[in-house]
């Protein structure tokens, strides 16, 4: 059964009667453009086939009552009691959307909701944006708000930033709401302009292999705070409002004006990463063989590993193993310190490439990885 079918079926058991409808939103994987979206830069994600489903019915009061098939429990809150930090836990992602819509001046009703998702949770594939965006489109329909997808993405992002308290950029929610089959979403996070860039993998005999390293995330809040602060400080010292405005031409000379080596490397990652996104988009726009994008993916990984320092041994081992097994390019995807590795591979070799990672993990004593195409 799909998440939509499971949510619809469970609704009658949990709440009695039928839902008014089911809404679905996907997770995402970022092909390239990491830690650029809070510096006005460029990202290039694609929506996943995996997503979150909500079966929902409007209530006559303002209570949001949600049963999550994954969490295995029901939680509820009055939307008028939602505030930064309240409610704690997974309900905050959903209640936060109702709060953000209310803050934006929209009148939204309480809902009875059954939630299900097949996005791996906490793996950097944005299970959080999937559940936010699924309930955002449900509210939009049920309350007849008629909001566009940028407005829904903004509400979903506020839920995550302000209610849950996770300082993320806007890429995840935009990818979930704007992703189109067969395309990458090229997003300028300053202008919010979107270009759908066709990615013809099957036509070229290629596949994207997503490897979940299953490395445990630990103590990353302080690490993210340091990266945000370093980027802001670097921008200030270089006299720009955001690192997006630092051109890659002449970068070495500009970096030489910064005294702190750590700061130099943080800035270099963001500036060169924006350039790699533009170059990868250029490759795809020109109709060139997508294999040639692989070197940009790998260069992005090296930059995250050596300059931004957001990888972990499991992630680096997976990238090394897939490249040794013949992948055209590979990189960690998502915020870092664990999560998934994305590899561009010949479609027929995906199984062998994954086995190479599994073998390397066994040898290193890491927990076994998982994967999907
Ligand atoms: P990611 O977005 O990379 O998967 P996050 O830490 O941003 O990781 O979001 C994961 C959180 O989202 C989970 O800890 C949980 O609170 C919430 N979540 C995601 N999917 C579900 C679900 N199906 N049911 C309940 N909570 C969920
Ligand atoms: Mg998330």
């Amino acid at each position: 059964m799909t998440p939509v079918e499971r949510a619809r079926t469970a609704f009658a058991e949990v709440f009695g009667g039928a839902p008014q409808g089911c809404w679905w939103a996907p997770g995402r994987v970022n092909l390239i453009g990491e830690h650029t979206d809070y510096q006005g830069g460029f990202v290039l994600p694609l929506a996943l086939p995996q997503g979150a489903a909500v079966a929902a019915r409007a209530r006559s009061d303002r209570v949001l009552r949600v049963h999550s098939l994954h969490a295995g429990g029901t939680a509820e809150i009055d939307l008028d009691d939602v505030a930064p930090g309240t409610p704690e836990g997974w309900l905050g992602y959903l209640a936060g959307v109702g709060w953000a819509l209310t803050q934006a001046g929209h009148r939204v009703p309480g809902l009875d909701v059954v939630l299900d998702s097949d996005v791996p949770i906490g793996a950097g594939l944005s299970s959080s944006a999937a559940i936010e965006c699924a309930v955002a489109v449900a509210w939009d329909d049920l309350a007849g708000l008629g909001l566009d997808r940028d407005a829904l993405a903004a509400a979903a992002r506020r839920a995550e930033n302000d209610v849950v308290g996770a300082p993320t950029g806007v890429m995840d929610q935009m990818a979930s709401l704007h992703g189109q089959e067969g395309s990458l979403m090229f997003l300028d996070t300053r202008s919010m302009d979107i270009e759908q860039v066709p990615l013809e993998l099957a036509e070229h005999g290629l596949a994207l292999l997503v490897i979940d390293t299953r490395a445990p995330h630990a103590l990353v809040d302080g690490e993210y705070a340091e990266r945000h602060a370093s980027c802001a400080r670097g921008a200030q010292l270089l006299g720009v409002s955001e690192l997006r405005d630092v051109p890659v031409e002449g970068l070495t000379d500009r970096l030489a004006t910064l005294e702190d080596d750590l700061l130099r490397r943080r800035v270099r990652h963001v500036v060169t990463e924006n350039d790699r996104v533009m170059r990868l988009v250029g490759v795809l726009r020109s109709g060139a063989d997508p294999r040639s994008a692989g070197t940009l993916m790998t260069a992005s990984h090296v930059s995250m590993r050596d300059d931004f320092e957001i990888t972990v041994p499991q992630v680096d081992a997976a990238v090394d193993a897939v490249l040794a097994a013949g992948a055209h390019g590979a990189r960690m995807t998502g915020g870092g310190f664990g999560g998934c590795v994305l590899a561009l591979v010949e479609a027929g070799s995906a199984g062998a490439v994954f086995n190479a990672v599994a073998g390397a993990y066994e040898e290193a004593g890491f927990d076994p990885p998982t994967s999907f195409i």
Side-chain angles (χ1 to χ4, degrees):
M1 274 208 283
T2 64
V4 168
E5 289 161 352
R6 278 198 299 267
R8 193 197 305 277
T9 305
F11 192 93
E13 292 158 27
V14 176
F15 295 112
Q20 281 172 279
C22 291
W23 290 262
W24 180 90
R28 64 96 189 96
V29 67
N30 193 21
L31 189 77
I32 197 163
E34 221 66 74
H35 286 268
T36 52
D37 69 338
Y38 49 86
Q39 283 293 318
F42 305 109
V43 295
L44 194 63
L46 58 141
L48 290 174
Q50 293 91 333
V54 306
R57 188 170 62 198
R59 297 169 56 101
S60 53
D61 58 17
R62 291 260 295 163
V63 172
L64 174 68
R65 189 147 42 114
V66 185
H67 181 82
S68 165
L69 293 175
H70 167 81
T74 305
E76 67 173 66
I77 188 165
D78 192 303
L79 290 176
D80 296 319
D81 296 333
V82 180
T86 306
E88 287 181 1
W90 58 265
L91 186 63
Y93 294 88
L94 306 171
V97 175
W99 173 87
L101 290 170
T102 306
Q103 292 269 313
H106 307 293
R107 184 84 202 146
V108 294
L111 302 177
D112 287 333
V113 171
V114 174
L115 170 69
D116 193 31
S117 172
D118 58 0
V119 183
I121 290 177
L125 301 175
S126 223
S127 69
S128 57
I131 64 174
E132 291 152 13
C133 293
V135 81
V137 287
W139 252 314
D140 185 54
D141 273 351
L142 288 171
L145 301 179
L147 294 174
D148 66 26
R149 289 181 175 227
D150 288 4
L152 294 173
R157 181 197 183 176
R158 282 203 73 190
E160 187 143 353
N161 289 173
D162 296 354
V163 174
V164 177
T168 58
V170 76
M171 162 170 70
D172 300 354
Q173 294 80 11
M174 289 293 277
S176 183
L177 287 162
H178 285 283
Q180 289 182 10
E181 188 150 7
S183 289
L184 299 162
M185 182 195 74
F186 175 40
L187 172 68
D188 177 335
T189 64
R190 176 177 287 168
S191 69
M192 296 299 260
D193 285 343
I194 287 176
E195 177 187 341
Q196 300 289 342
V197 182
L199 178 65
E200 294 175 335
L201 290 175
E203 291 84 342
H204 287 90
L206 293 168
L208 281 173
L209 177 67
V210 181
I211 298 155
D212 185 348
T213 68
R214 300 178 64 236
H217 278 68
L219 302 170
V220 298
D221 287 359
E223 297 286 350
Y224 288 144
E226 184 273 310
R227 300 313 180 278
H228 280 253
S230 292
C231 290
R233 177 106 185 101
Q236 188 194 21
L237 289 172
L238 293 173
V240 293
S241 66
E242 293 177 305
L243 292 178
R244 145 77 181 267
D245 295 315
V246 178
V248 76
E249 297 78 26
L251 180 61
T252 311
D253 292 345
R254 270 189 203 87
L255 289 179
T257 66
L258 302 177
E259 274 169 28
D260 180 357
D261 178 59
L262 184 100
L263 201 58
R264 274 200 293 268
R265 288 185 290 122
R266 301 292 190 254
V267 169
R268 185 165 58 195
H269 166 72
V270 176
V271 175
T272 58
E273 185 76 351
N274 278 324
D275 180 59
R276 282 184 289 269
V277 177
M278 299 298 285
R279 281 160 58 195
L280 206 156
V281 168
V283 167
L284 297 178
R285 275 192 196 130
S286 74
D289 186 336
R291 284 171 185 79
S292 56
T295 49
L296 291 165
M297 293 173 65
T298 305
S300 168
H301 184 77
V302 169
S303 178
M304 291 190 288
R305 185 190 65 199
D306 299 344
D307 278 351
F308 222 59
E309 297 179 294
I310 52 172
T311 68
V312 293
Q314 285 93 326
V315 162
D316 294 330
V319 168
D320 291 345
V322 300
L323 292 174
H328 298 292
R331 62 183 291 277
M332 183 186 74
T333 179
F337 305 100
C340 288
V341 163
L342 184 62
L344 181 65
V345 299
E346 294 298 316
S349 77
V353 171
F354 173 71
N355 288 339
V357 179
Y361 271 41
E362 201 176 346
E363 216 162 278
F366 299 150
D367 288 343
T370 59
S371 74
F372 61 89
I373 301 287

